[in-house]
Amino acid sequence: MLRFIAKRYAKAQYRLKQEVEAATNDLNAGLASRLAAEKRDVVSRLNAEADEMEARIKQVSELEEKGFYSCENGHESMIGDLKGSDEWVCSICHEPAKFIKRDQMTGQEKYLSDKERKQAEKVAEYKRQQAKAEEENAANGEKTAQYFRGLAENNRSVAERVRRL
């Protein structure tokens, strides 16, 4: 009788251990999936930021070629308002504005403009590289989740086999 009870108890305890391990693996799989989804969101955000930067670089290049007015507050406009003699003001905030055009820039201004553009291009490229690394991390996270789901399924099948003994 004691042996029968011990056998039932050992069987139940082993099944419980397998089910607890399966539940733990399910939790790990869920966590890995959630982290992978968060990384994919980061990838989307980084790519969007890089796209915005590249669009802005292109826009500034076009503005420099065509010419534009820029005020001290950073507003850029294709038109400026003439105030008095030869003084242009911003059409938005009415602060003094300067006409900027690539072929009218000094060598120093061209150098600074090119330097800023190259720095912005480097930042955009860095964001693309970060996005690629995060994409790889997300893919690895999905593989990890699949691995844990497989372990959980294996634990459940072992528990079911023990139940049938």
Side-chain angles (χ1 to χ4, degrees):
M1 177 72 162
L2 187 60
R3 192 174 284 168
F4 175 77
I5 294 172
K7 184 178 177 183
R8 290 283 184 180
Y9 178 75
K11 192 175 177 182
Q13 187 179 15
Y14 187 76
R15 283 182 55 213
L16 178 65
K17 179 184 171 201
Q18 291 296 314
E19 290 294 341
V20 167
E21 208 170 306
T24 302
N25 287 329
D26 281 336
L27 287 173
N28 287 334
L31 179 62
S33 292
R34 179 177 288 173
L35 291 174
E38 288 173 7
K39 290 190 183 296
R40 293 201 193 284
D41 291 342
V42 169
V43 168
S44 297
R45 183 182 51 81
L46 287 170
N47 281 330
E49 288 174 6
D51 289 342
E52 287 174 15
M53 290 184 78
E54 288 170 352
R56 179 67 179 151
I57 291 167
K58 184 179 177 185
Q59 179 188 26
V60 169
S61 295
E62 290 173 359
L63 284 174
E64 283 181 351
E65 291 301 319
K66 293 176 183 176
F68 66 99
Y69 291 92
S70 177
C71 72
E72 296 170 357
N73 293 330
H75 299 124
E76 297 167 349
S77 175
M78 295 299 284
I79 57 169
D81 297 326
L82 186 60
K83 179 180 180 183
S85 61
D86 296 337
E87 185 180 320
W88 289 91
V89 294
C90 177
S91 59
I92 299 169
C93 65
H94 305 291
E95 292 291 322
K98 180 181 176 185
F99 185 71
I100 299 172
K101 190 170 182 180
R102 181 91 179 156
D103 59 2
Q104 294 177 358
M105 288 181 174
T106 65
Q108 179 70 20
E109 289 171 334
K110 286 180 184 178
Y111 171 76
L112 291 174
S113 175
D114 291 342
K115 184 179 176 182
E116 287 177 9
R117 182 179 301 114
K118 287 177 185 173
Q119 287 174 344
E121 288 171 349
K122 285 180 183 179
V123 170
E125 180 58 30
Y126 178 71
K127 287 185 183 284
R128 295 265 186 225
Q129 289 172 354
Q130 279 184 313
K132 185 177 179 184
E134 289 296 324
E135 183 66 37
E136 290 173 10
N137 288 340
N140 288 337
E142 287 297 326
K143 288 178 186 175
T144 301
Q146 284 179 320
Y147 172 76
F148 280 121
R149 284 186 192 104
L151 285 178
E153 187 59 37
N154 186 42
N155 290 121
R156 284 191 186 89
S157 68
V158 168
E160 182 60 29
R161 283 188 225 128
V162 168
R163 184 188 68 78
R164 288 188 220 146
L165 285 178

